Amino acid sequence: MNTRSTLTDYQRSHIIDQLAKYGFYDVEGLTYEELQKKLTVRRAKNIKVEAPANKFF
């Protein structure tokens, strides 16, 4: 196992762990890029709008 493969596996497992915090467990067959997109969407949905001016959108 080379270093690049180990790093890629670590990055993938880290994103899977982050997705699990949002209750997303269906990661079988998804690429690293797809996992990143799903994590980005879940993080964006979790943003709290506190200032009244931010509720415009």
Side-chain angles (χ1 to χ4, degrees):
M1 189 178 237
N2 61 20
T3 305
R4 185 171 190 97
S5 162
T6 304
L7 181 60
T8 304
D9 291 343
Y10 174 75
Q11 289 172 329
R12 182 177 168 82
S13 67
H14 179 71
I15 288 184
I16 290 171
D17 290 342
Q18 294 295 310
L19 283 167
K21 291 179 184 177
Y22 292 102
F24 185 82
Y25 300 102
D26 189 22
V27 297
E28 194 66 34
L30 296 177
T31 65
Y32 178 73
E33 289 78 19
E34 291 170 330
L35 290 170
Q36 281 182 315
K37 288 178 185 176
K38 294 205 178 283
L39 180 59
T40 302
V41 168
R42 272 147 184 85
R43 284 181 175 168
K45 287 181 179 180
N46 200 31
I47 294 175
K48 293 187 170 115
V49 180
E50 296 176 4
N54 293 339
K55 294 181 183 179
F56 178 75
F57 297 101

